[in-house]
C-alpha cells in the first residue's frame, strides 16, 4: 500500500509542473507487481522569459546558495520533509544541528539548504514554484543559468546589485559572480523579486508572500548572517557548491552535480518518462536505495491546487499579473 501511495503521490505531484505535459501514462501495479517505469512524451521547454520569472526570487543570492537551491528544487518532496523536520527540531543549533542533518536521507543539496531555514521555508511555502524550478533545472540547466545571469545584469543596471559589506559582486567578462564578503558568514539578501530588476517582473502565478520573506521596495537589504563553520566538515556544506559559468552547470565538490532519483520528468534528447535510470521504483525508497519521504497531510498535487506546508495552496490568492503581488499590494 505504501508503494501505491508513493507512486500515486508522485504522479499527481508531477502535474503541478509549470511546463504543461502533453501526455503521461501511469500503471497501477497489482499487489504482487512492482510499478513499471512511468512514461511520458517530450514537451517543449520553458521560454527565456518564463525562466527569468522562475529565477527572479533567487538570482541575487550568493553563487553557492543559488547552486544549492537549484539542485534541491529537483526534490520538492524532500523539501517538504526537511522543512517540517527543521521546524520540529528548532532547538538544535550549530554542531548538533549539522550532525543531525547529516544523518537524514535527503539529497546532499537538501541537507545544504537546511542551513538556511528562511530559504527552506520559502521553497516549502511556494512549492509550485519550487517544482517548476526543479523541472527547469533537470531539463534546461544551461538555460536556467543563462536566466540567472540575465537577471543579475538587469539588477546591476538598475543600480541594485553591487558590492556591500555582506557580499562581493564581481564582473568577470560576461559573468557576474556573487560571493560572501566573509567566507565564514553567509548573508541571504532580501529583496522584492518583482521590483529589484528595474522594470517590474510579473510575479510567478500563485506566489505566496509572507511577512519577512523580503523587504518592501526596489532595493536589497540584509538581515542576520548565517555562520557556516559548523557545517564546513560535511561534504554537503556551503563551500562544496558553485558553478561552472563557462559551460553553465552546477558544481558539487568540483564535479558536475547530477540529480538522481529526483521528482521530475526528463524531456527531449532521447529521454522519456520519469528519470531514475530504469525508471521509478516503488517500495520504501526509490532507485538506488535512498529512502524517499512518505506522503504528508496537506501535501496534494494537481494544478494550482498544490498544497505545501502551513496551509499554503496555489491559485485564488497571491499571483502575478500587472505587477501585482502579495505583501504590499499594487506597486
Amino acid at each position: 500500500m505504501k508503494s501505491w501511495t508513493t507512486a500515486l503521490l508522485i504522479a499527481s505531484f508531477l502535474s503541478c509542473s509549470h511546463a504543461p505535459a502533453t501526455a503521461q501514462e501511469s500503471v497501477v501495479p497489482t499487489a504482487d507487481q512492482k510499478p513499471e517505469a512511468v512514461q511520458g512524451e517530450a514537451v517543449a521547454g520553458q521560454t527565456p522569459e518564463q525562466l527569468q520569472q522562475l529565477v527572479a526570487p533567487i538570482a541575487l543570492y550568493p553563487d553557492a546558495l543559488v547552486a544549492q537551491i537549484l539542485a534541491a528544487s529537483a526534490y520538492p518532496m524532500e523539501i517538504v520533509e526537511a522543512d517540517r523536520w527543521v521546524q520540529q527540531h528548532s532547538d538544535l543549533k550549530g554542531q548538533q544541528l549539522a550532525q543531525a542533518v547529516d544523518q537524514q536521507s535527503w539529497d546532499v543539496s537538501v541537507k545544504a539548504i537546511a542551513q538556511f531555514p528562511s530559504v527552506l521555508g520559502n521553497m516549502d511555502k511556494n512549492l509550485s514554484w519550487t517544482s517548476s524550478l526543479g523541472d527547469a533545472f533537470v531539463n534546461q540547466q544551461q538555460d536556467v543559468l543563462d536566466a540567472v545571469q540575465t537577471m543579475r545584469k538587469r539588477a546591476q543596471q538598475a543600480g541594485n546589485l553591487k558590492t556591500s559589506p555582506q557580499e562581493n559582486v564581481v564582473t568577470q567578462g560576461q559573468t557576474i559572480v556573487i560571493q560572501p564578503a566573509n567566507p565564514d558568514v553567509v548573508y541571504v539578501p532580501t529583496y522584492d523579486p518583482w521590483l529589484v530588476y528595474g522594470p517590474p517582473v510579473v510575479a510567478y502565478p500563485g506566489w505566496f508572500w509572507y511577512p519577512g520573506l523580503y523587504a518592501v521596495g526596489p532595493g536589497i537589504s540584509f538581515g542576520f548572517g548565517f555562520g557556516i563553520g559548523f557545517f564546513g566538515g560535511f561534504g554537503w556544506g556551503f563551500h562544496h557548491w558553485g558553478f561552472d559559468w563557462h559551460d553553465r552547470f552546477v558544481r558539487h565538490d568540483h564535479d558536475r552535480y547530477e540529480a538522481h532519483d529526483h521528482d521530475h520528468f526528463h524531456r527531449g534528447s532521447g529521454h522519456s518518462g520519469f528519470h531514475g535510470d530504469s525508471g521509478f521504483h516503488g517500495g520504501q525508497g526509490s532507485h538506488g536505495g535512498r529512502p524517499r519521504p512518505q506522503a504528508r497531510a496537506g501535501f496534494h498535487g494537481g494544478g494550482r491546487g498544490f498544497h505545501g506546508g502551513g496551509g499554503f495552496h496555489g491559485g485564488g490568492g497571491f499571483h502575478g499579473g500587472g505587477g501585482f503581488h502579495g505583501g504590499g499590494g499594487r506597486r
Side-chain angles (χ1 to χ4, degrees):
M1 179 62 72
K2 287 185 178 180
S3 64
W4 296 4
T5 302
T6 304
L8 291 174
L9 173 63
I10 292 181
S12 176
F13 164 76
L14 289 168
S15 67
C16 180
S17 176
H18 187 61
T22 58
Q24 296 177 4
E25 298 177 1
S26 60
V27 178
V28 179
T30 60
D32 57 349
Q33 292 177 325
K34 292 182 180 180
E36 298 294 333
V38 181
Q39 297 297 319
E41 295 181 0
V43 297
Q46 300 187 56
T47 67
E49 291 74 18
Q50 289 173 322
L51 294 175
Q52 291 163 21
Q53 181 192 46
L54 271 176
V55 303
I58 63 167
L60 306 185
Y61 289 1
D63 282 19
L65 183 54
V66 177
Q68 293 165 18
I69 292 171
L70 291 177
S73 67
Y75 305 92
M77 293 175 63
E78 293 189 4
I79 289 294
V80 174
E81 178 89 359
D83 190 39
R84 303 298 188 278
W85 185 92
V86 168
Q87 293 179 41
Q88 293 167 4
H89 296 83
S90 59
D91 56 317
L92 295 178
K93 306 295 181 184
Q95 189 67 26
Q96 286 186 325
L97 175 60
Q99 292 174 343
V101 167
D102 189 57
Q103 295 172 8
Q104 304 308 307
S105 62
W106 313 321
D107 184 76
V108 290
S109 59
V110 178
K111 292 181 180 181
I113 294 299
Q115 300 176 75
F116 306 98
S118 60
V119 175
L120 181 64
N122 178 44
M123 296 180 74
D124 182 8
K125 290 179 174 63
N126 281 294
L127 206 54
S128 176
W129 167 80
T130 299
S131 176
S132 294
L133 185 66
D135 176 82
F137 173 73
V138 167
N139 292 287
Q140 299 174 259
Q141 185 169 161
Q142 290 183 330
D143 295 335
V144 169
L145 268 60
D146 283 339
V148 169
Q149 286 298 324
T150 296
M151 301 311 284
R152 288 183 174 183
K153 291 172 185 174
R154 288 179 57 175
Q156 191 177 62
Q157 291 169 358
N160 293 323
L161 180 61
K162 47 196 169 184
T163 293
S164 69
Q166 293 81 16
E167 63 183 21
N168 294 323
V169 179
V170 180
T171 300
Q172 300 176 349
Q174 298 299 312
T175 300
I176 298 176
V177 175
I178 304 176
Q179 302 287 0
N182 181 343
D184 294 324
V185 181
V186 177
Y187 291 87
V188 179
T190 58
Y191 59 90
D192 187 322
W194 321 119
L195 293 180
V196 73
Y197 300 102
V201 177
V202 176
Y204 181 83
W207 179 263
F208 178 74
W209 181 91
Y210 58 95
L213 177 58
Y214 49 72
V216 176
I220 299 176
S221 62
F222 298 88
F224 294 104
F226 291 89
I228 57 175
F230 291 110
F231 299 87
F234 298 96
W236 42 263
F238 183 84
H239 292 300
H240 290 266
W241 296 87
F243 290 108
D244 183 316
W245 285 116
H246 180 268
D247 292 322
R248 295 291 198 263
F249 63 81
V250 168
R251 289 188 297 103
H252 175 247
D253 273 347
H254 307 290
D255 293 323
R256 181 190 294 267
Y257 171 84
E258 297 288 349
H260 298 288
D261 301 326
H262 51 73
D263 304 330
H264 294 278
F265 280 88
H266 249 303
R267 302 192 299 266
S269 301
H271 294 283
S272 177
F274 189 87
H275 182 67
D277 296 327
S278 58
F280 171 71
H281 295 252
Q284 175 65 25
S286 54
H287 183 72
R290 184 163 57 84
R292 306 292 285 170
Q294 301 300 314
R296 285 284 185 268
F299 187 88
H300 307 283
R304 297 300 178 197
F306 202 134
H307 293 247
F312 163 68
H313 59 88
F318 304 97
H319 59 84
F324 177 78
H325 56 86
R330 188 176 302 274
R331 302 287 180 176

